[in-house]
Amino acid sequence: MQGEIMWTLIFALVSLTAATVTANNSDSSNYYGQTKAADLKEEKVTHLRFYLHDIISGKNPSAVRIAHANLTGGSADSAVGFGSLFAMDDPLTVGPGKDSKVIGNGRGMYVSGSKDISKFTIVMYADLAFTTGKFNGSSISVFSRNPVAEEAGEREVGIVGGRGAFRMARGFIQIKTHHIDMNTGDAVLRYHATVFHY
Ligand SMILES: *[C@@H]1O[C@H](CO)[C@@H](O)[C@H](O)[C@H]1NC(C)=O
Ligand SMILES: *[C@@H]1O[C@H](CO)[C@@H](O)[C@H](O)[C@H]1NC(C)=O
Ligand SMILES: *[C@@H]1O[C@H](CO)[C@@H](O)[C@H](O)[C@H]1NC(C)=O
């Protein structure tokens, strides 16, 4: 009799444990949790307008070439030659002026990605972060071709994500060159971002 009760108890315990494991897959033996319907809030759109200063020249550049291809011929030393890779920490400002209020920074890399120099294109892998105002601490992630020379007026890069208020963002940025120094390559770009986020 006692043995029967014991076996019933053990059986009950094993069943209970099995049921718990099935119902609760956040236990440490699995690397995945439950898949369920995402409870997303309504998507919102925010427009951001600012200027990005990409300064290559001088003693305090905001973008530096960190690698380049060993090309034969005249273009080997060209700052924008195919295969040149730059690291950037470019200030973002409200206005185009050098002394305009800084509202963030664009950090990351860009690579000169077109073999045809007449179609000078960079590919950007950058995080544009805001350090003031409503979006202080938030950033947008750019992972995109930036066809600098291919489009006469405005060109466009894609937004593939973000942090903070822009978590899971997507969208695009229309870029217009405000000023470029053809000798040094220093440029001030006007960025108009359309950001869809939650
Ligand atoms: C799921 O299992 C984990 C780890 O064993 C435990 O901490 C958690 O409380 C369980 N959750 C539920 C809903 O049973
Ligand atoms: C660069 O390319 C040239 C021509 O192919 C070669 O002679 C030279 O060794 C290369 N330099 C380096 C550092 O790879
Ligand atoms: C932005 O956020 C940081 C970190 O929370 C804080 O230290 C800083 O004072 C904020 N700056 C402004 C201008 O609000």
Side-chain angles (χ1 to χ4, degrees), residues 134-192:
K134 185 178 172 188
F135 296 110
N136 183 15
S138 298
S139 69
I140 51 180
S141 305
V142 173
F143 186 104
S144 181
R145 170 186 301 230
N146 179 348
V148 178
E150 279 184 47
E151 282 158 47
E154 231 164 22
R155 52 191 189 271
E156 184 176 308
V157 298
I159 296 170
V160 297
R163 299 183 303 126
F166 299 129
R167 185 183 287 178
M168 298 206 301
R170 59 204 174 96
F172 54 91
I173 307 173
Q174 287 153 297
I175 302 177
K176 206 175 159 88
T177 303
H178 175 78
H179 174 79
I180 185 158
D181 182 326
M182 285 304 185
N183 294 319
T184 60
D186 293 353
V188 177
L189 297 319
R190 194 200 68 190
Y191 274 47
H192 177 187

Side-chain angles (χ1 to χ4, degrees), residues 59-124:
K59 284 205 171 76
N60 190 22
S62 67
V64 291
R65 189 166 72 171
I66 53 176
H68 66 101
N70 181 18
L71 299 172
T72 49
S75 58
D77 286 326
S78 164
V80 295
F82 173 58
S84 289
L85 179 65
F86 290 78
M88 63 185 253
D89 183 359
D90 287 347
L92 309 178
T93 61
V94 177
K98 229 190 293 184
D99 302 320
S100 180
K101 185 187 173 198
V102 174
I103 52 102
N105 53 69
R107 292 181 177 166
M109 291 191 298
Y110 58 86
V111 63
S112 176
S114 172
K115 289 173 79 173
D116 180 352
I117 203 68
S118 72
K119 295 198 168 120
F120 177 54
T121 296
I122 60 172
V123 183
M124 298 173 72

